Every structure is written in structure tokens, then in C-alpha cells.
Amino acid sequence: MRHTISVLVENKFGVLSRVSGLFSGRGFNIESLSVGETIDPDVSLMTIVTIGDDQIVEQITKQLNKLIDVIKVVDYMDVDHVERELVLIKAAPKKNDKTEFLKLTEIFRGKIIDSGATSFTVEITGDEKKIAAFIELIKPFGIKEFVRTGKVAIAREGLKKAKQ
Amino acid sequence: MRKSGAEILIECLKKEGVKHIFGYPGGVVLNIFDALYDEKGLELFLTRHEQGAIHAADGYARASGKVGVALVTSGPGATNTVTGIATASMDSIPMVVFSGQVPTMLIGNDAFQEADIVGMTRPCTKHNYLVKDVKDLAQTIREAFHIASTGRPGPVLIDLPKDVTTGMTEFKWPEKVNIRSYSPTYQGNKYMIKQAAQMILKSKKPVIMAGGGVILSEASKELTELAEMTKIPVTNTLMGLGSFPGSADLSLGMLGMHGTFYANTAVQNADLLIGIGVRFDDRVTGKTDTFARNAKIIQIDIDPTSIRKNVPVDLPVVGDIKHVLKDLLKVLKDEKEQWGAIRKSWLNQVDAWKKERPLTYNFDKKIIKPEFVVEKIHKVTKGDAIICTEVGQNQMWAAQFYKYDKPRHWLSSGGLGTMGYGFPAAIGAQIACPNKVVFDIAGDGSIQMNIQELATAVINKLPVKVAILNNRFLGMVRQWQELFFKERYSHTGLDVTPDFVKVAEAYGAVGLRATTPDEVEPVLRESLKIKDRPVFMDFEVDWKSKVFPMVPAGAAIDEMIFDEEVKEKSKKKLKAVK
Ligand SMILES: Cc1ncc(C[n+]2csc(CCOP(=O)(O)OP(=O)(O)O)c2C)c(N)n1
């Protein structure tokens, strides 16, 4: 089962390695990880996506909570939330495919943020499903480069229900 | 007042109530050692290896309940501490380790004697720090002691770059510590505690399994009261020995791989298992899905990550054991149950198991049996000594044949199983408790892992007694080879074992030897007379002796194997009972 876990941490050096060490030390993989400052510059938020059965993820979240620099952990599995990821794709559609490619980009509300002699760079944002669907559709056009930010998530109103 | 980092370190240690530290000098800590030179209120014990310093600080902490403190230099000094820190971490021992570091501007440059000790010890400390500014030093030390000694205790390392300890700043002792992301739960949930009481009331065949957490929480009194009042038999994990009096009627001794027949059998037949300060280590549970197969499980622990980690738990109570047991006792007292009457048949059953297969060994008139030595140590010390152990057969026999009646009298590396732990730990314990008799029960293999600490004990006139159960083998490994590898003794024979008597004498300690059973007690009594230096006792024991009962790895804990000869004898008894 895929879990999205957000971890509120003290913004100090070494914290990322404490958190990632917790995963690697137990042989668990991190699928994606994104880190950024919060409104309070002393605090950072990490959003981590990992795969594991419920018992493993329960153990991970407890272990995360135990780290001294961790302030709060939320497993979004039990929380009503929205998720987004941003992907940049450099694609090189053939001449006669260009119109089709641009149309698809538009349907998915992607943005062309750069274009060169042979390629376009598309920016697309969305949840897991949308991004996966878009990638499937444009694969045949030829993807030259591909980069994603990792998922971020936020609870819908009423996070108080969240299980800690 | 403006002070240097080194002076601030010393001031802070004194404010934390530290009197004794263990350490070893080197380049980047020269100035700290210099500041210690005229210091009256703080004594540093120079060990002969940094591993020895950490184990000594650990033994000091286990024996006294205080935070153990060590100070070492950068690079090799720091890396030498890793085994000791990991040992303390696995057994939740409060400790603060200070390591020197190259100046901040050189960090990351592969400078001389640079090692990323913060990176290396991250997984084996409760927390660690690299101090980058002398202004943060006092606050960091305050936090480190707080973290090490509260909640589930553990080791904390502080890495001190040279320019931080030489730098000057205004010294202000932070009176309070407030770490917003760290607040252990002490009070157990009232509802859960009521539930636990109900489960105890309903159960017909309960067993308490008490571990090291009881000792760390100073809750032996409450545990004993609970067991005595509700008439529940108590088994201890290796780490829990002494948390409940080993000679009490309700004691089942140790459970697990080398646990007693009656402890393991009782757990497997219980309808309720109350785990208190235990983490259900695989050496205790055997095959986990067969463990306590008929029992509901209550688990009381301060660390939420210990709960449900290895076995499913029916009722978890997160909190400090002392607090939780006090609350639980209150609830149970109100019930005014006739405990004696309702437990009668269960306790009769447990007694029958005790009689069916007591802990035994085959005494021999000519050859010293290692179990016999441990029994004699118990006798001559009247069960009141602090017993440290190494790792292997020596450790298991020391756990089985000495009855620990008080907490903090059994010091053994349970989680990591570190050979070389016992002797330096005994040195630390003797410094913490100068009026106690302190023993290290050792194997001839393990004692050679930190034998250099003889010098530390001699120079400080510490009368630590080391009983070497000399079987000329890495005995525990040999036992596995005999039982599971067709007696192919690959690299377990210690063909060249030094003459331990002469080794002791060379260091200025006393060396004694016993080669026959009648010599055992006189040698032990002789050792007790020596008050001003350590004693090595070389007991030439039967190399074939094995630790029994034994649960083979991966088996259920009631699938014990016994010594064949012992088995023949007890078969008769077995019939008598049934
Ligand atoms: C540092 C370390 N290395 C290896 C081991 C594995 N090991 C466990 S018991 C043992 C044998 C111990 O031999 P000895 O100290 O002579 O004790 P005995 O079992 O004979 O009582 C070994 C090698 C260990 N526990 N610790």
C-alpha cells in the first residue's frame, strides 16, 4: 500500500539524513521525497511517499515521531487530503504530431514553458492519476527528458480528525 | 563571566551533578584535558582503550542510575567508541559521550584525525549533536543530559570541534530545557489501565514478563507489590533480572532461548501475558507466531515504537512503568479480590513444572563445572554482589545460576551481546558503588577483548573480581557447532590462551587459579579478602559443558532441548509428577 506521510521537522542540518536513515536502516524505500520551509522558517515540512503494509508504516511513523527533531507526523492514509506533483517533460514530437501533442497538453492543462528547434518543455501539475495518464499518452511522441518534484499533500479543512 | 568552551563544558558537567567521567586524550581535546588538570570536583578515569571508557560509563550508569559520561578525541578515538555506544543504545542506557572534532573550518576536508562521528553514530544514539558555535554549547549539553535520561533513556553524543572548545563566550547555565518536539508520555491512559485491571481479574493463568524497562523506571517495588498482591508468577527477560527478586516463590527465573523450563512452559500455557518494559526480542519469543499462543497480551512501555513491533498486543499502555503500575495497583486494590484462592490451581501447576525440570547440571568431583562456579559465587557473596558478564555461555550461566534479588545488580550486554563489555563495565560499577563487591563473570575469549583495562583497575585500586570460566573455547559458538554443525569446530578453539594468573600479575593485579572443584570456594573467598586491586581467577572448567535448556533458533520456546544426561535423570521425576 502506498502511503503519503508528511513530517514536520526542525529546520536544522542533518535532519534529512536522520529521516532518510530511518528508512534505509530498515530496508524501506522512499518513493518520493520533497522538502521545503514552512511559514515558520525554523520549521520544514517533508512529504514522503513510501510503500509498505500497514504494520510497517505504523512502525515507520512511530519511529519518525521518536526522532528528537521531528515535531509532527501525519499519515495521509487516514486523512481527507489533496495531493499534487509537478512534472517537467521535454518531448520532441515529429512535425505532423505537433498539433496532436499541443492539444493533449492543453486538455491536461499543461503549460509549454520552453520550446526549441526540436523540442517542447511541458509543465504539468496534478495528482498521481492525472500525471500517470498524461505520461502514458505522450510517451509515443518521444520523451527526451523527464523530471518530477515528488508529491506534496495538504489536508482538507478539519485536519483535527487526523490520526497522529 | 566569559569562559572558554572547555571551561563551559566542565561547568555544565558539574551543574548536571557529574562527579566521574571516563576518557582518553588526544590532539583536539588537549585543551579540555588541560582544563581538567586543576579541576577538583570532577574526576576523569583514564581507561586504556576508548571502548573501555564507554563500557565503564555504561556500567557506572547501570549500577547507579545516573547518566554515564565519557570524553574522547576525534577520529580513531571517536570511532573506538561506536561499539560501546551501540551497546548502550540497544539496552537503553543513559549516557552522554563527548568527542573532539577537527576545527569547524576543516570539517569535510579529510583533515588529520577527522571522522564523521555524528554520521556514524546517528543510528546508534538516541540523538547526537555537532556543536558549531561555542554560544550553543551550554544549551546543547543541557539538552543532551535531558534527552539521555528521560523517556526511554539512551546514549547521546556531542561532537566538539576544536575551535568551539577554545572559543570564548559569556557563560550562562540554562535552567530549563524545553524541546518542543520531545515530550515523553509518563502517565498511562486511565481507560487502558482499567482495561488491564479487568483482564487481570478475568484471567485464570496470568504470567508477568518483566524486562529492563522496570529497572530503568525504578519500578521494582511497584512490580513486586503487583505480583505479590495478585499472586501472579513473574518471569524476567535477560535485561530484567533483579527487577523482581529471583529467590521469591513467584519467580520463574529467565525465559527465552536459555530460559527455565518452567518459565517457558508457563508463558506458553498462560491465558494472559503482562509484558512490562520488554520489547519481545527474538531471543525471548522464539518463533513469534507460536509465542504465548494461548494468551492475551498486555504491554506496558514508555516507548510507543516498542509496542506491537514484534508480537501482536491486545492491550497497549504507553507510559512510564512506575506511574502505570501505581495506577494499576490502585484500581486493583479497590477490587478486594481473594487473589490467593483464585490463583491456587495455576500456582500449583507452575510449582509442578518447577519440580518437573529444575535448573540443573551434572556435578562432577574431578572437573569444575562452570555452573558450579556461578553457584559458589552466589554463595560467597550472599547474593548481594553486582554481577557483570561478558557474552556467551558465561553470560547465560551467570543469568541462570545466580539469583538476582535487587535491581542494578546484573549488568550484561543484552541487546548487542558485546564480548568485552563486562570487565570495563565492572570497573565503572565499582567506581559508582565503592562499597559493593563487583564481579565480572567472564569467558576466556571475551576477557581478552578488553583485558588492557586491568591497568585502569590496578591504578585506581579497584577490587573488581574477574571469574574466568576458562574452557579454552569460544564456548557458545562451539556449543552451536557441536549441536548443529556436526562438531566441526571451525575457529572456535583458543589454542593459545595466555596464563591469566601471570597476565594479572604482570599488571600488578592478583592472579588465582582453581583446577578442581574443591579449590573453587577457597579461591573465591581469597578474592573477597583483596580490597585494593583487581583479581583474576582462572577457573579451568569442563570444556564440554553446554548451556541448557536451549531453544534452537526459530523454534517455539516450549520446544526446548536438554542435556541428554540431565534428561535421563529428570525422566523419572517427570513420571513422579504426572
Ligand atoms: C564482539 C563480539 N564478537 C563476536 C561475538 C559472537 N560470539 C558470541 S558468544 C562468543 C563466544 C564467547 O566465548 P567466550 O568469551 O570464551 O565465552 P564462553 O561462551 O566460552 O563462555 C562469540 C564469539 C560477540 N558476541 N561479540
Side-chain angles (χ1 to χ4, degrees):
Chain A
M1 192 74 102
R2 187 176 267 115
H3 289 247
T4 305
I5 301 168
S6 87
V7 189
L8 207 61
V9 298
E10 297 287 351
N11 190 359
K12 287 182 186 161
F13 63 90
V15 174
L16 178 59
S17 99
R18 287 185 207 282
V19 169
S20 64
L22 223 160
F23 284 79
S24 61
R26 290 172 172 74
F28 302 146
N29 194 21
I30 293 179
E31 287 249 303
S32 88
L33 167 70
S34 82
V35 193
E37 249 179 33
T38 61
I39 312 227
D40 176 354
D42 290 341
V43 177
S44 294
L45 186 77
M46 298 184 182
T47 310
I48 300 172
V49 180
T50 188
I51 295 183
D53 63 35
D54 288 352
Q55 200 207 336
I56 287 175
V57 176
E58 183 187 327
Q59 187 56 221
I60 291 179
T61 53
K62 281 183 185 171
Q63 292 284 355
L64 284 168
N65 258 314
K66 198 166 140 181
L67 291 177
I68 306 289
D69 287 333
V70 168
I71 301 166
K72 188 175 177 178
V73 182
V74 178
D75 178 358
Y76 280 114
M77 190 56 105
D78 319 303
V79 182
D80 195 12
H81 68 287
V82 280
E83 299 184 342
R84 288 292 180 271
E85 183 169 20
L86 185 145
V87 185
L88 300 180
I89 303 163
K90 195 179 279 170
K94 291 203 191 80
K95 229 179 181 163
N96 0 356
D97 291 341
K98 268 186 190 162
T99 335
E100 176 71 10
F101 176 80
L102 292 173
K103 215 164 97 192
L104 272 174
T105 304
E106 204 184 307
I107 294 171
F108 277 80
R109 300 216 189 107
K111 252 195 280 176
I112 305 291
I113 54 168
D114 190 30
S115 67
T118 57
S119 69
F120 293 104
T121 301
V122 181
E123 172 196 314
I124 178 154
T125 321
D127 60 15
E128 211 172 288
K129 268 194 206 141
K130 175 178 163 189
I131 286 176
F134 182 68
I135 292 166
E136 269 319 298
L137 284 171
I138 64 159
K139 249 189 203 161
F141 296 96
I143 295 177
K144 279 173 76 181
E145 263 181 72
F146 177 87
V147 49
R148 54 205 304 172
T149 57
K151 214 186 267 179
V152 291
I154 199 162
R156 291 184 196 276
E157 225 182 275
L159 175 68
K160 283 180 206 89
K161 277 181 282 173
K163 194 171 99 183
Q164 280 213 9
Chain B
M1 226 205 336
R2 282 180 78 75
K3 282 186 187 292
S4 72
E7 290 164 340
I8 291 174
L9 167 59
I10 290 170
E11 279 311 305
C12 287
L13 290 178
K14 292 203 290 193
K15 290 269 189 196
E16 293 289 352
V18 176
K19 298 229 157 44
H20 304 118
I21 63 182
F22 302 87
Y24 209 92
V28 297
V29 289
L30 265 167
N31 57 317
I32 306 177
F33 275 75
D34 188 63
L36 279 166
Y37 194 65
D38 301 316
E39 185 50 58
K40 296 278 174 310
L42 200 59
E43 195 176 354
L44 183 133
F45 292 88
L46 174 72
T47 54
R48 294 302 184 266
H49 190 302
E50 287 87 352
Q51 187 187 351
I54 305 295
H55 290 326
D58 174 314
Y60 184 93
R62 292 190 206 216
S64 67
K66 295 184 195 141
V67 178
V69 181
L71 168 65
V72 299
T73 192
S74 67
T79 54
N80 268 348
T81 65
V82 173
T83 301
I85 294 174
T87 303
S89 175
M90 288 289 265
D91 291 346
S92 310
I93 304 306
M95 180 187 293
V96 176
V97 179
F98 296 92
S99 53
Q101 183 55 282
V102 301
T104 39
M105 50 167 302
L106 288 182
I107 291 179
N109 284 13
D110 291 342
F112 177 62
Q113 295 198 324
E114 178 186 356
D116 175 12
I117 196 64
V118 170
M120 288 182 211
T121 57
R122 204 166 274 141
C124 63
T125 47
K126 183 168 171 187
H127 194 55
N128 60 15
Y129 296 89
L130 168 65
V131 184
K132 283 174 128 179
D133 187 335
V134 65
K135 290 196 197 81
D136 300 333
L137 183 58
Q139 180 68 35
T140 305
I141 295 172
R142 193 87 175 94
E143 285 186 15
F145 274 82
H146 177 65
I147 290 170
S149 58
T150 54
R152 177 176 178 177
V156 177
L157 177 131
I158 303 180
D159 205 18
L160 299 170
K162 175 91 191 230
D163 52 324
V164 169
T165 56
T166 53
M168 304 288 291
T169 191
E170 201 60 36
F171 173 58
K172 225 185 110 225
W173 167 247
E175 287 296 337
K176 274 198 202 131
V177 239
N178 182 15
I179 309 169
R180 63 172 155 184
S181 50
Y182 175 72
S183 60
T185 310
Y186 290 97
Q187 292 296 342
N189 179 300
K190 290 268 178 315
Y191 174 76
M192 295 297 209
I193 290 171
K194 278 204 184 107
Q195 291 283 305
Q198 283 311 312
M199 286 167 79
I200 291 171
L201 280 161
K202 277 194 202 120
S203 81
K204 301 218 156 50
K205 299 187 281 182
V207 172
I208 291 174
M209 168 180 168
V214 177
I215 295 166
L216 293 165
S217 164
E218 305 282 355
S220 294
K221 198 178 129 250
E222 289 75 13
L223 169 68
T224 308
E225 196 181 338
L226 174 70
E228 297 291 351
M229 179 179 90
T230 57
K231 300 273 179 283
I232 301 180
V234 181
T235 177
N236 283 123
T237 64
L238 182 83
M239 291 304 298
L241 292 173
S243 64
F244 183 76
S247 46
D249 283 346
L250 285 169
S251 172
L252 300 171
M254 183 170 76
L255 85 164
M257 180 174 275
H258 293 296
T260 61
F261 165 76
Y262 36 96
N264 287 354
T265 307
V267 167
Q268 294 300 73
N269 287 282
D271 65 355
L272 177 67
L273 183 67
I274 309 163
I276 310 180
V278 296
R279 61 189 171 90
F280 297 99
D281 181 89
D282 49 275
R283 282 289 191 266
V284 161
T285 60
K287 194 166 182 257
T288 42
D289 52 9
T290 60
F291 178 72
R293 50 167 92 79
N294 302 310
K296 290 232 183 304
I297 299 183
I298 299 175
Q299 188 180 359
I300 306 172
D301 203 284
I302 195 158
D303 178 6
T305 65
S306 297
I307 286 171
R308 284 204 194 98
K309 188 170 58 181
N310 300 332
V311 298
V313 168
D314 298 281
L315 186 85
V317 185
V318 176
D320 176 55
I321 291 163
K322 197 178 180 80
H323 284 88
V324 173
L325 291 187
K326 273 190 177 154
D327 289 347
L328 182 60
L329 273 164
K330 234 181 264 160
V331 178
L332 285 168
K333 270 180 194 156
D334 290 345
E335 294 292 336
K336 306 209 170 24
E337 180 63 68
Q338 298 296 317
W339 298 104
I342 62 170
R343 292 279 183 262
K344 202 166 171 208
S345 71
W346 174 232
L347 291 180
N348 282 343
Q349 172 67 75
V350 168
D351 274 341
W353 285 323
K354 282 189 183 179
K355 290 198 185 91
E356 184 177 333
R357 275 188 197 275
L359 268 180
T360 51
Y361 63 95
N362 294 305
F363 176 77
D364 194 292
K365 271 198 201 128
K366 290 203 198 78
I367 311 171
I368 304 177
K369 296 287 176 171
E371 301 91 333
F372 175 73
V373 180
V374 177
E375 277 183 349
K376 287 290 173 197
I377 295 175
H378 186 258
K379 183 179 167 202
V380 301
T381 61
K382 305 189 178 73
D384 193 40
I386 294 177
I387 304 289
C388 306
T389 77
E390 302 295 339
V391 169
Q393 294 178 315
N394 58 84
Q395 179 183 32
M396 293 302 130
W397 287 317
Q400 292 175 330
F401 289 91
Y402 196 102
K403 299 279 166 274
Y404 301 89
D405 283 338
K406 285 181 242 164
R408 304 199 179 280
H409 281 60
W410 160 255
L411 279 51
S412 190
S413 167
L416 200 64
T418 309
M419 290 171 68
Y421 168 79
F423 184 35
I427 289 174
Q430 187 77 77
I431 290 167
C433 309
N435 299 321
K436 293 288 292 195
V437 173
V438 180
F439 263 84
D440 175 33
I441 297 183
D444 47 320
S446 301
I447 193 60
Q448 293 186 66
M449 285 216 177
N450 274 317
I451 203 161
Q452 76 285 347
E453 299 309 332
L454 259 169
T456 314
V458 168
I459 197 110
N460 292 295
K461 299 191 165 53
L462 301 171
V464 169
K465 316 205 185 303
V466 181
I468 303 170
L469 307 178
N470 189 350
N471 52 16
R472 303 195 168 248
F473 270 97
L474 298 172
M476 186 55 98
V477 184
R478 190 205 65 77
Q479 171 167 344
W480 283 60
Q481 289 172 332
E482 180 183 331
L483 296 172
F484 309 115
F485 289 87
K486 306 195 179 102
E487 298 180 52
R488 288 156 55 85
Y489 297 139
S490 178
H491 302 285
T492 43
L494 299 177
D495 301 326
V496 183
T497 294
D499 180 332
F500 288 113
V501 173
K502 282 194 184 147
V503 171
E505 287 167 359
Y507 272 97
V510 176
L512 302 169
R513 176 171 290 124
T515 54
T516 61
D518 340 322
E519 289 167 0
V520 170
E521 196 172 324
V523 160
L524 288 169
R525 293 209 180 274
E526 179 65 27
S527 82
L528 291 178
K529 287 187 201 141
I530 298 157
K531 310 272 189 214
D532 62 347
R533 68 191 85 178
V535 187
F536 264 30
M537 287 163 271
D538 184 11
F539 294 101
E540 290 182 7
V541 299
D542 178 15
W543 69 271
K544 290 202 202 89
S545 287
K546 291 181 281 299
V547 182
F548 288 112
M550 177 175 190
V551 178
I557 61 165
D558 45 1
E559 291 164 17
M560 287 161 276
I561 50 175
F562 300 86
D563 195 335
E564 279 321 311
E565 300 152 75
V566 177
K567 208 175 180 177
E568 281 313 307
K569 273 190 201 158
S570 55
K571 251 187 199 157
K572 286 170 214 149
K573 282 187 201 155
L574 212 137
K575 273 179 203 139
V577 172
K578 281 190 176 162

